[in-house]
Amino acid sequence: GESVGLHLPTLSVQEGDNSIINCAYSNSASDYFIWYKQESGKGPQFIIDIRSNMDKRQGQRVTVLLNKTVKHLSLQIAATQPGDSAVYFCAENTQGGSEKLVFGKGTKLTVNP
Amino acid sequence: NAGVTQTPKFQVLKTGQSMTLQCAQDMNHEYMSWYRQDPGMGLRLIHYSVGAGITDQGEVPNGYNVSRSTTEDFPLRLLSAAPSQTSVYFCASSYADSSNYGYTFGSGTRLTVV
């Protein structure tokens, strides 16, 4: 069935380092992927998205890479800051519309000062 | 611009009680969805709507009903609460255009069923 998973449940980095969070997806028909950040007690917050016709997209301090061959997605955060500490989820859209997302279980990122 | 507003933020129910979780968005988004989040889990889709008058089931719909009488509101009803429905519930709204989809989540309702 459809599933989105993460390689590591937790990630600890030093402030200023770059962070890489990975995600594997199983549905080759998925055409749209999103990374969300969720801080404690809050709802998921959109970070960056990418369509399946792209392999890289950059935002402010964040880059998403998509490797369709191995069905792998990654989120790179440059110069990680304490405010980046949160749980990060990848999500895939498998239906062609924007109303349904399948979420991974999340990776908890801790940034040490 | 409030975005997606969920009420209440916290709720405790007794087993068998019913209640409605409210969700409203002011962005004129076509799509609205309800998710639940359990400890150590990602969000799982309960129900979704692609427009007023149209709803459909997600991954975990049992025990929940929804309706979409207006574009702005998408309430989630628990018919007879069970301890297994203890969770954090998130409502989301989204649009789709030719270049991207936009998702906005509410801040969540933390529900405990005793």
Side-chain angles (χ1 to χ4, degrees), chain A residues 31-32 34 36 38 41-44 46 49 51 89 93 96-105, chain B residues 31 33 35 37 40-43 45 48 50 90 94-101 103 105-107:
Chain A
D31 62 355
Y32 179 63
I34 311 174
Y36 285 95
Q38 186 177 28
K42 297 184 179 180
F46 174 92
D49 59 359
R51 283 187 171 273
F89 294 94
N93 179 292
S98 71
E99 68 278 12
K100 295 178 70 174
L101 293 176
V102 175
F103 281 82
K105 290 183 172 57
Chain B
Y31 305 141
S33 311
Y35 292 84
Q37 185 176 32
M41 301 282 290
L43 283 73
L45 181 65
Y48 65 97
V50 300
F90 289 99
S94 59
Y95 62 86
D97 63 22
S98 60
S99 60
N100 60 61
Y101 303 118
Y103 290 82
F105 280 83
S107 57

Side-chain angles (χ1 to χ4, degrees), chain A residues 33-101:
Chain A
F33 304 88
I34 311 174
W35 280 101
Y36 285 95
K37 172 186 180 182
Q38 186 177 28
E39 296 173 287
S40 181
K42 297 184 179 180
Q45 178 184 2
F46 174 92
I47 302 173
I48 192 168
D49 59 359
I50 189 168
R51 283 187 171 273
S52 59
N53 61 354
M54 303 171 67
D55 54 19
K56 181 180 180 179
R57 191 173 188 201
Q58 288 184 293
Q60 187 176 16
R61 282 201 306 120
V62 294
T63 300
V64 55
L65 299 178
L66 175 63
N67 185 330
K68 294 182 289 294
T69 301
V70 295
K71 290 184 283 189
H72 183 267
L73 193 69
S74 69
L75 176 70
Q76 300 178 1
I77 305 174
T80 314
Q81 303 168 1
D84 294 326
S85 294
V87 177
Y88 290 81
F89 294 94
C90 65
E92 64 181 310
N93 179 292
T94 62
Q95 299 289 320
S98 71
E99 68 278 12
K100 295 178 70 174
L101 293 176

